[in-house]
Amino acid sequence: MGKYLEVSKIYMKTQLVWRADVIFNMIFTITKILFAYLLWGMVFQNKEMVGQFTFHGMLSYYIIGSFLSQLEMSEGISSEIHERIRNGTFSKYMVIPVGIEKYFMAMELGIVLFYIIFDFMAAVIWIFVFHIQFVFAADVLLTICAVIMTILGMIFMVQLNYFLGLLTLKYQGIGTFLMIKNNLAALVTGSIIPLALFPEMVVRIMRLLPFYYVTYLPAMLLTGMCKDEAIVGIVVIVCWCLAMQVFINVVWKKYLRKYDGVGI
């Protein structure tokens, strides 16, 4: 465990070198919230409620959703693995005395712990700037479920991006897989439009996908909605994590022999 904590610490310190990235990350968070404020401000002009949301409830959802989505920063894992397998330097991870997948999870943890402070600051600033009557779940158990689900969702996304990176052992390019994943995630995580506004049949289908439990459902739980889905949601995302781990193990064992490393 100690060696993985060291990996996390190293990546936390590494973020200090890329200070511009911190600034752009905060700007992107602020931009998403500003977009939501302008868009839903027009929608709510003559309405008290849209679906299950009041105006301030909708903005609260977007603030929490933006905060959670900005914490999910594992997308670079697939690109990193892809490039290193293609140029033969993936051997770097094979010779160090750590589990490769655990290494990337520790890396993700270090990055998330660094950015969580700045993302939180960006979210809080907008609550005061727009005088938002912030809606947050009063139920402690619901909040705990949302936090657990968020952590499991991040673990799943690390697994997924790690898995997609490993597909380079079989395929020359993984761009198509990444495009499909990014498009599904953008829609089903509810970062564009809350899924509660979709037809019920569509939402039922989306509940079968893991992305539903990465950002959307935790954000809904933290605003006090979808309470009946809390426990079921945790069970579903745990099942997806276990299934993804099986896929990773199968791909690794089956295609590793195709890798021809040329150096570290």
Side-chain angles (χ1 to χ4, degrees):
M1 178 62 73
K3 57 189 175 183
Y4 296 109
L5 289 176
E6 287 302 316
V7 172
S8 295
K9 289 178 184 178
I10 289 171
Y11 276 94
M12 282 186 70
K13 294 176 182 177
T14 302
Q15 305 313 305
L16 294 171
V17 179
W18 311 105
R19 290 184 288 272
D21 285 0
V22 177
I23 295 172
F24 283 117
N25 190 69
M26 291 184 68
I27 290 174
F28 188 62
T29 302
I30 290 169
T31 302
K32 289 172 69 175
I33 298 171
L34 178 60
F35 172 77
Y37 182 84
L38 296 174
L39 172 65
W40 293 106
M42 292 185 291
V43 173
F44 277 93
Q45 264 186 337
N46 301 312
K47 297 181 179 179
E48 290 292 325
M49 299 281 293
V50 173
Q52 307 173 33
F53 297 92
T54 63
F55 176 61
H56 291 283
M58 181 68 78
L59 292 182
S60 299
Y61 165 82
Y62 268 95
I63 288 172
I64 294 173
S66 296
F67 173 73
L68 295 179
S69 62
Q70 289 301 101
L71 290 182
E72 203 298 289
M73 306 181 74
S74 64
E75 185 174 353
I77 292 174
S78 52
S79 300
E80 168 79 6
I81 295 174
H82 172 70
E83 290 300 322
R84 289 196 174 275
I85 291 177
R86 288 292 303 277
N87 61 33
T89 58
F90 187 69
S91 307
K92 164 188 174 179
Y93 300 111
M94 299 173 70
V95 298
I96 56 178
V98 295
I100 302 175
E101 184 181 357
K102 292 178 182 176
Y103 175 92
F104 281 106
M105 286 190 176
M107 178 189 79
E108 175 74 0
L109 176 62
I111 297 172
V112 167
L113 289 177
F114 178 83
Y115 277 98
I116 193 171
I117 300 171
F118 299 99
D119 290 336
F120 182 76
M121 287 171 55
V124 170
I125 287 171
W126 280 105
I127 292 174
F128 289 102
V129 167
F130 290 114
H131 306 288
I132 297 171
Q133 298 169 19
F134 192 65
V135 178
F136 194 81
D139 190 332
V140 176
L141 182 59
L142 206 60
T143 302
I144 293 173
C145 287
V147 171
I148 293 172
M149 196 179 300
T150 299
I151 294 171
L152 290 170
M154 289 182 181
I155 291 173
F156 172 81
M157 292 304 294
V158 172
Q159 290 177 310
L160 177 59
N161 283 298
Y162 181 74
F163 170 77
L164 293 175
L166 290 182
L167 290 180
T168 310
L169 294 169
K170 169 67 174 176
Y171 302 100
Q172 184 176 11
I174 58 172
T176 301
F177 299 114
L178 295 178
M179 181 183 67
I180 294 171
K181 183 263 297 183
N182 291 336
N183 288 336
L184 273 175
L187 176 64
V188 186
T189 55
S191 58
I192 301 174
I193 299 174
L195 303 185
L197 302 182
F198 283 65
E200 179 59 29
M201 182 59 69
V202 175
V203 177
R204 286 179 184 175
I205 295 172
M206 290 182 175
R207 286 194 188 107
L208 301 175
L209 301 174
F211 307 110
Y212 181 89
Y213 307 95
V214 173
T215 300
Y216 171 72
L217 188 55
M220 292 292 281
L221 293 176
L222 289 173
T223 52
M225 293 186 278
C226 297
K227 300 178 182 180
D228 57 329
E229 296 184 46
I231 303 300
V232 174
I234 291 175
V235 173
V236 172
I237 193 63
V238 166
C239 291
W240 271 106
C241 287
L242 294 174
M244 185 53 62
Q245 192 59 51
V246 172
F247 295 148
I248 288 170
N249 293 340
V250 169
V251 168
W252 178 253
K253 291 177 181 177
K254 187 174 182 179
Y255 297 118
L256 179 60
R257 62 181 181 270
K258 295 179 178 291
Y259 173 67
D260 183 18
V262 296
I264 60 174

